[in-house]
Amino acid sequence: MFRFPKPLKRWLILGHRWLGIGTGLFFATWVLSGLVMMYVPFPNLTEAARLAGLPTIAWERVRLGPDAALGFVQLPPDLSLGMRGDAPVYRATLDTGERRVVSAETGAVLGPLSGAEALALVRARGGTGPNPTVTTIHRDQWTVTARYDSLRPFHVVALDDPAGTERSVSQVTGAVALETTRFARGWNWLGSIPHWIYLTPLRARADLWRDVLLWISGIAVAGVLSGLVLGIWRLRLRRPYAAGVTPYRGMARWHHLFGIVGGVALLTFVTSGWLSMNPNRWFSGPSPTPAMRTAHAGQASLPGLDALRGLASPGVVEVRFIGLAGQVHAVATDAEGRRRVEPPVSPDSLRAAAARLLPAARLVAAETLTAYDVYWYPHHETRILPVVRVRFDDPAATSAYLDPETGEILMRLDRSGRLNRWLFSGPHRLDFAILTGHRPAWDLVLWTLNGLGAGVALTGIVLGWRRLRRSAPSR
């Protein structure tokens, strides 16, 4: 059997002991909060809930097309027609990231929404109790991330309903950006917040938060790895100790055995969690780059009022304008998510637009998927079918998934993104079809692995506390 040199053995034991003492509480928190996150996600306004709460467009008051109302020529990255209170408005996101709300009646640029207007807007959605209240905030625990920056500040309307619902209304756009309930807020203090160390003062500083998580999880990786090495080294199967396969007794014995059985799972969870923070920016994200969006849309001009006439039907709550290879398509959606696209997107126009995504590469494949694949799947989020998957011959082997009805880019992948799927989503969330497609198999496996990890962490905390008590100077 291999024998460690004594200095290495000593440093390995000391290193594992103090790394474990330093990170034991984090391990226990990560494991137990991860179980909560399996069932209660971080609060978010789903697309279905957003659409269900929108009023139908008052077409008789739409007197200006996007071209006349906005006063410029090119289609911006994001443009929609909807209602703000009882008046139709265009909401545009400009190339600079600025949000602009313009009246579809007069073309006037609208200012910030007042608290009274936010309360009236939320009341119009229904479900409020007798005494709803409004609080104005710039950032809170639920709107802490950068995705909300262009929408700040918010009027948070507490509905005074049995569920303790709160809706965050953007002062900038006059639209509901987030909805939370007492149940979701409460359970997230036991789930996502401790798991991600999502404390508002820290999370508001994105780079600092990322560095903190990288260091803590990186140190935790070293702690688990050293423990796994020590556990295997101290295990005897052929010539057992007097006490059995482990030389330890009491709590140390349980820690050793839990570590042997659950150590690999714990190492997998914590290492994949460290990788989720994208150390050294190794992985690209799934969102298309601005250059890809621009190339895909082409030089599309803003449509006029005539482009809306064919969409002016009862029940439509929103119209979005999408550029595709230089042509604008209007997507009218009702409260139940049913869509109508004018003019319809043809397969040829979609392929022509897709070929522009990477000007320096050649489109080598385009296929319609009617079933999910290993990268486009619905676990933890909603994913539509069918989709069009396109592939390019660039050095990064880029592929993209497109909505065949609207032409929108839903996701892009390159080699690093695919690698991230197998190094993070697979081992950390067990996003494997054999499990996610046969629940509760997924639940049972995750509960088992997390239970073993909890056993390692909790026994380690007890041992660490005892060590600290022994090391404390007596008075």
Side-chain angles (χ1 to χ4, degrees):
M1 179 181 289
F2 175 78
R3 295 184 179 274
F4 285 102
K6 285 188 177 181
L8 178 59
K9 183 192 306 182
R10 174 176 172 77
W11 282 110
L12 195 60
I13 293 172
L14 289 175
H16 177 66
R17 176 184 300 159
W18 292 106
L19 286 172
I21 289 172
T23 59
L25 287 175
F26 287 105
F27 277 119
T29 300
W30 285 330
V31 169
L32 298 175
S33 61
L35 293 173
V36 175
M37 291 175 67
M38 290 169 59
Y39 308 103
V40 185
F42 195 74
N44 189 26
L45 183 66
T46 66
E47 182 67 2
R50 185 185 74 85
L51 291 171
L54 296 179
T56 58
I57 295 175
W59 292 103
E60 70 280 2
R61 298 183 62 177
V62 180
R63 298 193 174 99
L64 298 174
D67 56 350
L70 296 177
F72 47 81
V73 176
Q74 294 298 321
L75 182 71
D78 182 63
L79 175 65
S80 65
L81 168 67
M83 298 294 288
R84 175 166 155 169
D86 59 357
V89 296
Y90 292 105
R91 293 182 174 94
T93 302
L94 309 184
D95 291 325
T96 59
E98 175 194 352
R99 303 268 185 149
R100 185 176 296 179
V101 181
V102 179
S103 169
E105 291 183 278
T106 66
V109 177
L110 304 183
L113 193 78
S114 69
E117 289 172 319
L119 179 58
L121 183 150
V122 169
R123 272 184 162 150
R125 292 171 66 112
T128 56
N131 297 300
T133 59
V134 182
T135 305
T136 301
I137 57 103
H138 184 76
R139 186 193 310 269
D140 66 5
Q141 183 65 56
W142 318 112
T143 59
V144 67
T145 60
R147 64 182 289 231
Y148 294 104
D149 284 352
S150 63
L151 303 175
R152 305 183 195 282
F154 297 97
H155 297 300
V156 180
V157 182
L159 272 59
D160 190 34
D161 64 337
T165 306
E166 294 181 356
R167 292 184 180 136
S168 300
V169 184
S170 168
Q171 281 193 29
V172 178
T173 67
V176 175
L178 180 65
E179 179 175 289
T180 68
T181 62
R182 186 185 300 110
F183 176 88
R185 294 190 300 271
W187 278 105
N188 264 272
W189 282 104
L190 299 176
S192 299
I193 294 172
H195 196 85
W196 297 333
I197 315 182
Y198 237 48
L199 302 175
T200 302
L202 177 63
R203 185 60 184 87
R205 297 163 175 80
D207 290 338
L208 175 61
W209 170 76
R210 179 175 175 272
D211 288 342
V212 167
L213 258 71
L214 278 171
W215 276 102
I216 292 175
S217 55
I219 292 170
V221 170
V224 181
L225 185 59
S226 61
L228 194 58
V229 171
L230 283 172
I232 294 172
W233 166 57
R234 297 290 282 167
L235 189 70
R236 282 190 186 176
L237 298 177
R238 293 184 178 179
R239 293 190 301 165
Y241 301 97
V245 296
T246 173
Y248 304 108
R249 298 180 182 275
M251 189 62 65
R253 177 185 182 86
W254 284 109
H255 185 66
H256 187 197
L257 295 176
F258 268 120
I260 291 297
V261 178
V264 173
L266 195 60
L267 180 63
T268 300
F269 283 142
V270 72
T271 303
S272 57
W274 177 72
L275 288 171
S276 74
M277 301 308 300
N278 200 3
N280 205 34
R281 311 292 182 185
W282 287 330
F283 310 113
S284 62
S287 299
T289 64
M292 292 177 71
R293 290 188 185 277
T294 300
H296 189 62
Q299 296 297 311
S301 299
L302 281 171
L305 187 60
D306 289 343
L308 299 177
R309 299 197 188 280
L311 301 171
S313 58
V316 174
V317 298
E318 183 179 67
V319 178
R320 293 182 300 119
F321 301 92
I322 299 169
L324 194 66
Q327 183 178 17
V328 176
H329 298 265
V331 182
T333 309
D334 67 14
E336 295 182 6
R338 292 185 291 259
R339 302 183 297 186
R340 184 156 60 92
V341 183
E342 293 292 343
V345 175
S346 69
D348 289 340
S349 64
L350 182 58
R351 184 182 178 95
R356 303 161 59 110
L357 282 173
L358 295 177
R362 184 171 60 91
L363 178 66
V364 295
E367 54 191 322
T368 299
L369 301 184
T370 57
Y372 297 111
D373 67 8
V374 295
Y375 302 106
W376 183 258
Y377 55 91
H379 194 214
H380 304 300
E381 55 269 310
T382 301
R383 294 281 174 84
I384 68 167
L385 281 176
V387 294
V388 174
R389 183 177 63 194
V390 295
R391 299 177 181 176
F392 298 86
D393 65 353
D394 62 310
T398 302
S399 60
Y401 295 77
L402 310 175
D403 185 333
E405 189 175 9
T406 67
E408 293 172 279
I409 310 168
L410 302 173
M411 185 174 74
R412 64 115 179 185
L413 278 175
D414 58 16
R415 281 199 177 91
S416 70
R418 285 187 284 272
L419 183 62
N420 188 43
R421 186 263 185 269
W422 297 112
L423 293 181
F424 167 63
S425 298
H428 201 78
R429 307 192 304 180
L430 296 191
D431 278 356
F432 303 113
I434 193 172
L435 295 176
T436 59
H438 300 87
R439 296 189 67 174
W442 178 79
D443 305 71
L444 292 173
V445 173
L446 268 176
W447 272 91
T448 300
L449 295 179
N450 276 275
L452 292 171
V456 178
L458 295 175
T459 55
I461 289 172
V462 173
L463 292 172
W465 174 248
R466 291 175 178 175
R467 168 61 63 173
L468 291 175
R469 290 185 62 185
R470 288 199 301 271
S471 301
S474 58
R475 295 184 179 181

